[in-house]
Amino acid sequence: MKKLTTVSLFIFWAMVTAILTAGLLSYQNQRSNSPMLAVATSSAPAPVSTGAVNTTSPILTVAEVAKHDLATDCWTIIDGNVYNTTPLISIHSGGSDAILRYCGKDGTVAFQTKDGRGSHSASAQSMLTQLYVGRLGTPAKQTSPVGTNTSRAPLAPVIPSQDRGDD
Amino acid sequence: MMRKYLGLSIISFLSLIPVVIWALMEPLALRFSGMTAAATSLGQLAGLVGMVLFSINLILSSRLKFFDRLFFGINRMYDLHQWLGAIAFSLILFHPLFLVVKFLQFSLYAAALFLLPGRDPAITMGIFALLGMILLMALTFYIKIRYNTWRMFHKFMNIVFVFAILHVVLIPSDISRSPLLKTYILSLALIGLCTGIYRSFLRKYFGRDWEYRVTGVLALNDQVVELEFEPVDQAMSFKAGQFVFVRFPGGGIGNEIHPFSIASAPGRSGFKMIAKSLGKFSSKLPLLKVGSRAVIEGPFGYFSHHNASNKSQIWLAGGVGITPFMGMAESLKNDRQYAVDLYYCTKNEAEAVLTDRLGQLSKENNSLRVFPWYSDTAGRLNGQKIQELSKGLEGKDIFICGPAGFADSLVGQLCDLGVATRNIHLEKFNLW
């Protein structure tokens, strides 16, 4: 049994060290390549909006998003941005239903509040940024408070000292 | 034979229940729809089963008499406790490693964030529990400390377990989404926590122990001491070959609790114990005074000549492993149906402090033949020698008690000579 424990511990520490090191290097790399990201992550709480609109990303309409409402092809609107949430369905720790419910629809409130149970972790938010498809081109149904800019840049990863929860 | 595995079967069944509930919650095709989904599912399962085994291990640590019956000896149960602890620990280590895979497919940074504590109490509790477990397991496997110090630190496993329960309660997961799974996991966890706290902190005050007094302290040589005990009130009934846990509050040698085999036959109100100076505690036993208080927990164990199918038996004692055989040899006087060959193995004659006593028992009882064996002159006792001297091994049950190296070596040789494992009964002296 000592061998089992030793092997498990070795694998554990090797992987944790590798991931933490690689993650830190990746974060430093992102910061040095993206001045906007550096400004955002040093000053704003998550979820972060830089206020600068990414003019090169596709502009999508609500009708366009609504076509992607299947478990095999699932797009969701969060905070005026469109994300392909298909890869998250099978791995979401809150269950697949929590994502499937918003395929082709606006899931802003659900994402931001975890259906009333709190906010998503920084790691989850960071994951979501990788799934960005485009932004809504026309004002969608008002799911955000009045006066809020509903067309924002995608969620940016936040610094480790920021809010972080589970995914 | 099947009854021997009943305890293990119950533990396996209890571990399988959450797996089945989990499997029925969502289609397995979705759970294992790709590498990432499969890794996430394995991470969830590792957490579930790890938590169940952790809970069961705490329940076992209560050392209830019931477990002595279920596992055919509390010493076997402790063997299992160690294995379950190692398996639960490994599963809990792999739990975050599998779960981090889903972040790796998106970004290294997200994966790194997942492994760090933050403002989310659920993840932070989990990390505290894991780090606490790593520290305590390191103390168990890799850092040599005194037994009593190790026991004191091991009680902190209860605190680690509290962090684990908080993690389970707070984290959104299959457990939070399934009332059935939540009830099962938390019920088992709460039972584990209660029994762990009882054993670690409360048993001293509420446990049922036997009050005895030391009535004799006899040094058999400069390393071995024999202690005699008489009950203060009610006498404990025991079978020859069993062992007890003993502590001597106010005896001037510390308040540690240690296991010792009973070295006398039942039938009298008191009993004897023989101990060799192997550690800090046992080396202080000769300092005990007659009249010292002794608190006895037990008896435990199934190492008895009565628990064998054959009355023709071979007993193999390595050094101080002779102690349970003393009681068994004495009790043969009352049962002439047995035919026993007892091999008393020591390095030399000076160490064989009980040869005379055994010789006397052998004279009084034709059922018992004693073979002193000194490894300094005769080499190590082996299976072939035993087969020669005892005129065969067939149709006999073999009892072995002594250090692990002695026992393991002989078991291997006897099995090679065709002795079935069901006919070999083992009591190793390195469990504690």
Short mmCIF file of all heavy atoms in Angstrom, two decimals, chain B residues 121-169:
data_model
loop_
_atom_site.label_atom_id
_atom_site.label_comp_id
_atom_site.label_asym_id
_atom_site.label_seq_id
_atom_site.Cartn_x
_atom_site.Cartn_y
_atom_site.Cartn_z
N PRO B 121 -15.60 29.09 -1.14
CA PRO B 121 -15.36 28.23 0.03
C PRO B 121 -15.39 26.74 -0.32
O PRO B 121 -14.66 25.96 0.28
CB PRO B 121 -16.50 28.60 0.99
CG PRO B 121 -17.48 29.38 0.20
CD PRO B 121 -16.80 29.93 -0.97
N ALA B 122 -16.20 26.36 -1.31
CA ALA B 122 -16.32 24.93 -1.64
C ALA B 122 -14.98 24.36 -2.10
O ALA B 122 -14.53 23.32 -1.61
CB ALA B 122 -17.39 24.73 -2.71
N ILE B 123 -14.34 25.06 -3.04
CA ILE B 123 -13.05 24.58 -3.55
C ILE B 123 -11.98 24.69 -2.47
O ILE B 123 -11.15 23.81 -2.29
CB ILE B 123 -12.62 25.37 -4.81
CG1 ILE B 123 -13.66 25.25 -5.92
CG2 ILE B 123 -11.24 24.92 -5.26
CD1 ILE B 123 -13.62 23.94 -6.68
N THR B 124 -12.01 25.79 -1.74
CA THR B 124 -11.01 26.00 -0.69
C THR B 124 -11.09 24.91 0.37
O THR B 124 -10.06 24.39 0.81
CB THR B 124 -11.20 27.39 -0.05
OG1 THR B 124 -11.15 28.36 -1.10
CG2 THR B 124 -10.12 27.69 0.97
N MET B 125 -12.30 24.53 0.77
CA MET B 125 -12.45 23.43 1.75
C MET B 125 -11.86 22.14 1.20
O MET B 125 -11.20 21.38 1.90
CB MET B 125 -13.94 23.19 2.06
CG MET B 125 -14.64 24.31 2.79
SD MET B 125 -13.98 24.61 4.43
CE MET B 125 -13.30 26.23 4.21
N GLY B 126 -12.11 21.91 -0.08
CA GLY B 126 -11.59 20.70 -0.70
C GLY B 126 -10.06 20.69 -0.70
O GLY B 126 -9.44 19.66 -0.42
N ILE B 127 -9.47 21.85 -1.00
CA ILE B 127 -8.01 21.93 -1.04
C ILE B 127 -7.44 21.74 0.37
O ILE B 127 -6.45 21.04 0.56
CB ILE B 127 -7.56 23.27 -1.67
CG1 ILE B 127 -7.91 23.26 -3.16
CG2 ILE B 127 -6.07 23.51 -1.46
CD1 ILE B 127 -7.65 24.57 -3.88
N PHE B 128 -8.07 22.34 1.37
CA PHE B 128 -7.61 22.17 2.76
C PHE B 128 -7.68 20.70 3.16
O PHE B 128 -6.75 20.17 3.79
CB PHE B 128 -8.49 22.99 3.72
CG PHE B 128 -8.17 24.46 3.74
CD1 PHE B 128 -8.97 25.34 4.46
CD2 PHE B 128 -7.08 24.97 3.05
CE1 PHE B 128 -8.69 26.70 4.48
CE2 PHE B 128 -6.80 26.32 3.06
CZ PHE B 128 -7.61 27.19 3.78
N ALA B 129 -8.78 20.04 2.79
CA ALA B 129 -8.95 18.63 3.15
C ALA B 129 -7.85 17.80 2.49
O ALA B 129 -7.23 16.94 3.14
CB ALA B 129 -10.32 18.12 2.70
N LEU B 130 -7.58 18.09 1.23
CA LEU B 130 -6.59 17.31 0.50
C LEU B 130 -5.19 17.53 1.08
O LEU B 130 -4.44 16.58 1.30
CB LEU B 130 -6.63 17.70 -0.98
CG LEU B 130 -5.77 16.89 -1.93
CD1 LEU B 130 -6.07 15.42 -1.81
CD2 LEU B 130 -5.98 17.36 -3.37
N LEU B 131 -4.84 18.78 1.34
CA LEU B 131 -3.52 19.07 1.89
C LEU B 131 -3.36 18.45 3.28
O LEU B 131 -2.30 17.91 3.61
CB LEU B 131 -3.28 20.58 1.94
CG LEU B 131 -3.11 21.26 0.59
CD1 LEU B 131 -2.97 22.77 0.75
CD2 LEU B 131 -1.90 20.71 -0.17
N GLY B 132 -4.41 18.52 4.07
CA GLY B 132 -4.38 17.91 5.40
C GLY B 132 -4.16 16.41 5.31
O GLY B 132 -3.37 15.81 6.04
N MET B 133 -4.84 15.79 4.36
CA MET B 133 -4.72 14.35 4.18
C MET B 133 -3.30 13.99 3.73
O MET B 133 -2.72 13.00 4.20
CB MET B 133 -5.74 13.90 3.13
CG MET B 133 -6.32 12.56 3.44
SD MET B 133 -7.57 12.10 2.26
CE MET B 133 -7.78 10.40 2.72
N ILE B 134 -2.74 14.79 2.83
CA ILE B 134 -1.38 14.53 2.35
C ILE B 134 -0.40 14.58 3.52
O ILE B 134 0.46 13.71 3.68
CB ILE B 134 -0.98 15.54 1.25
CG1 ILE B 134 -1.77 15.26 -0.03
CG2 ILE B 134 0.52 15.49 0.97
CD1 ILE B 134 -1.60 16.30 -1.12
N LEU B 135 -0.56 15.58 4.37
CA LEU B 135 0.34 15.71 5.52
C LEU B 135 0.23 14.52 6.47
O LEU B 135 1.24 13.93 6.89
CB LEU B 135 -0.04 16.99 6.27
CG LEU B 135 0.95 17.49 7.31
CD1 LEU B 135 2.28 17.79 6.66
CD2 LEU B 135 0.42 18.75 8.00
N LEU B 136 -1.00 14.12 6.77
CA LEU B 136 -1.19 13.01 7.73
C LEU B 136 -0.75 11.68 7.13
O LEU B 136 -0.24 10.81 7.83
CB LEU B 136 -2.65 12.95 8.17
CG LEU B 136 -3.10 14.15 9.01
CD1 LEU B 136 -4.60 14.07 9.32
CD2 LEU B 136 -2.31 14.24 10.31
N MET B 137 -0.93 11.50 5.84
CA MET B 137 -0.48 10.26 5.21
C MET B 137 1.05 10.22 5.15
O MET B 137 1.66 9.15 5.26
CB MET B 137 -1.08 10.12 3.80
CG MET B 137 -2.58 9.94 3.80
SD MET B 137 -3.15 8.57 4.81
CE MET B 137 -3.44 7.33 3.57
N ALA B 138 1.65 11.39 4.97
CA ALA B 138 3.12 11.45 4.98
C ALA B 138 3.64 11.01 6.34
O ALA B 138 4.63 10.27 6.44
CB ALA B 138 3.60 12.86 4.65
N LEU B 139 2.96 11.43 7.40
CA LEU B 139 3.35 11.03 8.75
C LEU B 139 3.17 9.53 8.96
O LEU B 139 3.86 8.91 9.76
CB LEU B 139 2.53 11.78 9.80
CG LEU B 139 2.93 13.22 10.08
CD1 LEU B 139 1.95 13.87 11.03
CD2 LEU B 139 4.33 13.27 10.67
N THR B 140 2.21 8.96 8.26
CA THR B 140 1.95 7.53 8.43
C THR B 140 2.95 6.68 7.65
O THR B 140 3.44 5.67 8.15
CB THR B 140 0.52 7.19 7.95
OG1 THR B 140 -0.41 7.92 8.73
CG2 THR B 140 0.22 5.71 8.06
N PHE B 141 3.28 7.11 6.43
CA PHE B 141 4.08 6.24 5.56
C PHE B 141 5.56 6.61 5.47
O PHE B 141 6.39 5.74 5.24
CB PHE B 141 3.51 6.25 4.14
CG PHE B 141 2.23 5.46 4.00
CD1 PHE B 141 1.03 6.09 3.73
CD2 PHE B 141 2.24 4.08 4.16
CE1 PHE B 141 -0.14 5.36 3.61
CE2 PHE B 141 1.07 3.35 4.04
CZ PHE B 141 -0.12 3.99 3.76
N TYR B 142 5.87 7.92 5.60
CA TYR B 142 7.22 8.31 5.24
C TYR B 142 8.05 8.90 6.37
O TYR B 142 9.27 8.92 6.31
CB TYR B 142 7.18 9.35 4.09
CG TYR B 142 6.36 8.87 2.92
CD1 TYR B 142 5.15 9.49 2.59
CD2 TYR B 142 6.77 7.78 2.16
CE1 TYR B 142 4.39 9.03 1.53
CE2 TYR B 142 6.01 7.32 1.10
CZ TYR B 142 4.82 7.95 0.79
OH TYR B 142 4.06 7.50 -0.25
N ILE B 143 7.40 9.39 7.40
CA ILE B 143 8.14 10.04 8.48
C ILE B 143 8.05 9.16 9.72
O ILE B 143 6.96 8.89 10.22
CB ILE B 143 7.58 11.45 8.76
CG1 ILE B 143 7.63 12.29 7.49
CG2 ILE B 143 8.37 12.13 9.89
CD1 ILE B 143 6.91 13.63 7.60
N LYS B 144 9.20 8.72 10.20
CA LYS B 144 9.20 7.83 11.37
C LYS B 144 9.07 8.65 12.65
O LYS B 144 9.95 9.44 12.97
CB LYS B 144 10.52 7.04 11.42
CG LYS B 144 10.60 5.95 10.36
CD LYS B 144 11.07 4.62 10.94
CE LYS B 144 11.10 3.50 9.91
NZ LYS B 144 9.81 3.15 9.36
N ILE B 145 7.95 8.46 13.33
CA ILE B 145 7.78 9.13 14.63
C ILE B 145 7.31 8.10 15.64
O ILE B 145 6.90 6.99 15.27
CB ILE B 145 6.75 10.29 14.56
CG1 ILE B 145 5.43 9.81 13.90
CG2 ILE B 145 7.31 11.47 13.81
CD1 ILE B 145 4.36 10.86 13.88
N ARG B 146 7.35 8.45 16.88
CA ARG B 146 6.90 7.54 17.93
C ARG B 146 5.44 7.17 17.73
O ARG B 146 4.65 8.02 17.31
CB ARG B 146 7.08 8.20 19.30
CG ARG B 146 8.49 8.13 19.86
CD ARG B 146 8.50 8.59 21.29
NE ARG B 146 7.65 7.72 22.09
CZ ARG B 146 6.94 8.13 23.15
NH1 ARG B 146 6.99 9.38 23.54
NH2 ARG B 146 6.20 7.28 23.82
N TYR B 147 5.11 5.95 18.09
CA TYR B 147 3.74 5.45 17.89
C TYR B 147 2.72 6.38 18.54
O TYR B 147 1.70 6.73 17.92
CB TYR B 147 3.64 4.04 18.46
CG TYR B 147 2.23 3.50 18.50
CD1 TYR B 147 1.53 3.25 17.32
CD2 TYR B 147 1.58 3.28 19.72
CE1 TYR B 147 0.24 2.77 17.35
CE2 TYR B 147 0.28 2.81 19.75
CZ TYR B 147 -0.38 2.54 18.57
OH TYR B 147 -1.67 2.09 18.61
N ASN B 148 2.97 6.79 19.78
CA ASN B 148 1.99 7.61 20.48
C ASN B 148 1.83 8.98 19.82
O ASN B 148 0.74 9.54 19.76
CB ASN B 148 2.39 7.80 21.94
CG ASN B 148 1.17 7.85 22.83
OD1 ASN B 148 0.21 7.11 22.61
ND2 ASN B 148 1.17 8.71 23.82
N THR B 149 2.94 9.53 19.31
CA THR B 149 2.89 10.82 18.60
C THR B 149 2.10 10.66 17.31
O THR B 149 1.27 11.51 16.97
CB THR B 149 4.32 11.31 18.28
OG1 THR B 149 5.11 11.24 19.46
CG2 THR B 149 4.30 12.73 17.74
N TRP B 150 2.36 9.55 16.62
CA TRP B 150 1.63 9.29 15.38
C TRP B 150 0.13 9.18 15.67
O TRP B 150 -0.69 9.76 14.95
CB TRP B 150 2.13 8.00 14.74
CG TRP B 150 1.25 7.59 13.60
CD1 TRP B 150 1.28 8.06 12.32
CD2 TRP B 150 0.15 6.68 13.66
NE1 TRP B 150 0.28 7.49 11.58
CE2 TRP B 150 -0.43 6.65 12.39
CE3 TRP B 150 -0.40 5.90 14.67
CZ2 TRP B 150 -1.54 5.85 12.08
CZ3 TRP B 150 -1.50 5.11 14.38
CH2 TRP B 150 -2.06 5.09 13.10
N ARG B 151 -0.23 8.47 16.75
CA ARG B 151 -1.66 8.31 17.11
C ARG B 151 -2.30 9.66 17.36
O ARG B 151 -3.43 9.91 16.96
CB ARG B 151 -1.80 7.44 18.36
CG ARG B 151 -1.88 5.96 18.05
CD ARG B 151 -2.27 5.15 19.26
NE ARG B 151 -3.70 5.15 19.46
CZ ARG B 151 -4.31 5.49 20.60
NH1 ARG B 151 -3.61 5.87 21.64
NH2 ARG B 151 -5.62 5.45 20.69
N MET B 152 -1.59 10.55 18.02
CA MET B 152 -2.11 11.87 18.33
C MET B 152 -2.37 12.65 17.04
O MET B 152 -3.42 13.27 16.87
CB MET B 152 -1.09 12.61 19.21
CG MET B 152 -1.60 13.94 19.72
SD MET B 152 -0.30 14.86 20.54
CE MET B 152 0.74 15.31 19.19
N PHE B 153 -1.41 12.62 16.12
CA PHE B 153 -1.59 13.34 14.86
C PHE B 153 -2.68 12.71 14.01
O PHE B 153 -3.42 13.41 13.31
CB PHE B 153 -0.27 13.36 14.06
CG PHE B 153 0.66 14.45 14.48
CD1 PHE B 153 1.86 14.17 15.09
CD2 PHE B 153 0.32 15.78 14.27
CE1 PHE B 153 2.72 15.18 15.49
CE2 PHE B 153 1.16 16.81 14.66
CZ PHE B 153 2.38 16.51 15.27
N HIS B 154 -2.80 11.38 14.08
CA HIS B 154 -3.78 10.69 13.24
C HIS B 154 -5.21 11.10 13.61
O HIS B 154 -6.11 11.01 12.78
CB HIS B 154 -3.60 9.17 13.39
CG HIS B 154 -4.04 8.40 12.18
ND1 HIS B 154 -3.49 8.61 10.94
CD2 HIS B 154 -4.99 7.46 12.01
CE1 HIS B 154 -4.08 7.81 10.06
NE2 HIS B 154 -5.00 7.10 10.68
N LYS B 155 -5.39 11.56 14.86
CA LYS B 155 -6.73 12.01 15.26
C LYS B 155 -7.16 13.25 14.46
O LYS B 155 -8.35 13.53 14.35
CB LYS B 155 -6.75 12.36 16.75
CG LYS B 155 -6.61 11.15 17.65
CD LYS B 155 -6.63 11.54 19.12
CE LYS B 155 -6.29 10.32 19.95
NZ LYS B 155 -6.30 10.58 21.39
N PHE B 156 -6.18 13.97 13.92
CA PHE B 156 -6.52 15.15 13.12
C PHE B 156 -7.22 14.78 11.83
O PHE B 156 -7.75 15.66 11.12
CB PHE B 156 -5.25 15.97 12.81
CG PHE B 156 -4.79 16.80 13.96
CD1 PHE B 156 -3.75 16.37 14.78
CD2 PHE B 156 -5.40 18.01 14.26
CE1 PHE B 156 -3.34 17.12 15.87
CE2 PHE B 156 -4.99 18.77 15.35
CZ PHE B 156 -3.96 18.33 16.15
N MET B 157 -7.24 13.49 11.51
CA MET B 157 -7.98 13.04 10.33
C MET B 157 -9.46 13.43 10.48
O MET B 157 -10.16 13.62 9.48
CB MET B 157 -7.83 11.53 10.19
CG MET B 157 -7.97 11.01 8.77
SD MET B 157 -6.87 11.73 7.54
CE MET B 157 -5.52 10.57 7.49
N ASN B 158 -9.94 13.55 11.72
CA ASN B 158 -11.33 13.97 11.92
C ASN B 158 -11.54 15.40 11.41
O ASN B 158 -12.58 15.72 10.82
CB ASN B 158 -11.69 13.92 13.41
CG ASN B 158 -11.72 12.50 13.94
OD1 ASN B 158 -12.58 11.71 13.58
ND2 ASN B 158 -10.74 12.16 14.77
N ILE B 159 -10.56 16.26 11.62
CA ILE B 159 -10.67 17.65 11.17
C ILE B 159 -10.59 17.72 9.64
O ILE B 159 -11.34 18.44 9.00
CB ILE B 159 -9.57 18.51 11.81
CG1 ILE B 159 -9.78 18.51 13.32
CG2 ILE B 159 -9.58 19.93 11.25
CD1 ILE B 159 -8.71 19.22 14.11
N VAL B 160 -9.68 16.92 9.09
CA VAL B 160 -9.57 16.84 7.62
C VAL B 160 -10.92 16.40 7.05
O VAL B 160 -11.38 16.94 6.04
CB VAL B 160 -8.46 15.83 7.24
CG1 VAL B 160 -8.52 15.47 5.77
CG2 VAL B 160 -7.10 16.38 7.61
N PHE B 161 -11.55 15.45 7.73
CA PHE B 161 -12.82 14.93 7.25
C PHE B 161 -13.91 15.99 7.30
O PHE B 161 -14.79 16.04 6.43
CB PHE B 161 -13.21 13.71 8.10
CG PHE B 161 -14.30 12.88 7.51
CD1 PHE B 161 -14.17 12.32 6.25
CD2 PHE B 161 -15.48 12.66 8.21
CE1 PHE B 161 -15.19 11.55 5.70
CE2 PHE B 161 -16.50 11.90 7.66
CZ PHE B 161 -16.36 11.34 6.41
N VAL B 162 -13.85 16.87 8.30
CA VAL B 162 -14.84 17.95 8.38
C VAL B 162 -14.71 18.86 7.14
O VAL B 162 -15.71 19.24 6.53
CB VAL B 162 -14.65 18.77 9.67
CG1 VAL B 162 -15.49 20.04 9.64
CG2 VAL B 162 -15.05 17.94 10.89
N PHE B 163 -13.46 19.18 6.78
CA PHE B 163 -13.26 19.99 5.57
C PHE B 163 -13.80 19.27 4.33
O PHE B 163 -14.39 19.88 3.44
CB PHE B 163 -11.77 20.30 5.36
CG PHE B 163 -11.25 21.38 6.27
CD1 PHE B 163 -10.20 21.13 7.15
CD2 PHE B 163 -11.80 22.65 6.24
CE1 PHE B 163 -9.72 22.13 7.99
CE2 PHE B 163 -11.32 23.65 7.08
CZ PHE B 163 -10.28 23.39 7.95
N ALA B 164 -13.59 17.96 4.29
CA ALA B 164 -14.09 17.18 3.15
C ALA B 164 -15.61 17.22 3.09
O ALA B 164 -16.20 17.38 2.01
CB ALA B 164 -13.61 15.72 3.27
N ILE B 165 -16.27 17.12 4.24
CA ILE B 165 -17.74 17.17 4.28
C ILE B 165 -18.21 18.54 3.81
O ILE B 165 -19.17 18.66 3.02
CB ILE B 165 -18.27 16.88 5.70
CG1 ILE B 165 -18.01 15.42 6.07
CG2 ILE B 165 -19.77 17.18 5.79
CD1 ILE B 165 -18.41 15.07 7.50
N LEU B 166 -17.55 19.60 4.26
CA LEU B 166 -17.94 20.95 3.85
C LEU B 166 -17.79 21.11 2.33
O LEU B 166 -18.65 21.72 1.67
CB LEU B 166 -17.09 22.00 4.57
CG LEU B 166 -17.40 22.16 6.06
CD1 LEU B 166 -16.38 23.06 6.75
CD2 LEU B 166 -18.81 22.70 6.27
N HIS B 167 -16.72 20.56 1.78
CA HIS B 167 -16.52 20.60 0.34
C HIS B 167 -17.68 19.91 -0.37
O HIS B 167 -18.25 20.45 -1.33
CB HIS B 167 -15.19 19.93 0.00
CG HIS B 167 -14.98 19.68 -1.47
ND1 HIS B 167 -14.70 20.69 -2.36
CD2 HIS B 167 -15.01 18.54 -2.19
CE1 HIS B 167 -14.56 20.18 -3.57
NE2 HIS B 167 -14.75 18.88 -3.51
N VAL B 168 -18.04 18.72 0.11
CA VAL B 168 -19.11 17.94 -0.50
C VAL B 168 -20.45 18.69 -0.42
O VAL B 168 -21.24 18.70 -1.37
CB VAL B 168 -19.22 16.56 0.19
CG1 VAL B 168 -20.52 15.88 -0.15
CG2 VAL B 168 -18.04 15.69 -0.21
N VAL B 169 -20.70 19.33 0.71
CA VAL B 169 -21.98 20.02 0.93
C VAL B 169 -22.09 21.27 0.05
O VAL B 169 -23.14 21.57 -0.50
CB VAL B 169 -22.13 20.40 2.43
CG1 VAL B 169 -23.22 21.42 2.64
CG2 VAL B 169 -22.40 19.16 3.26
#
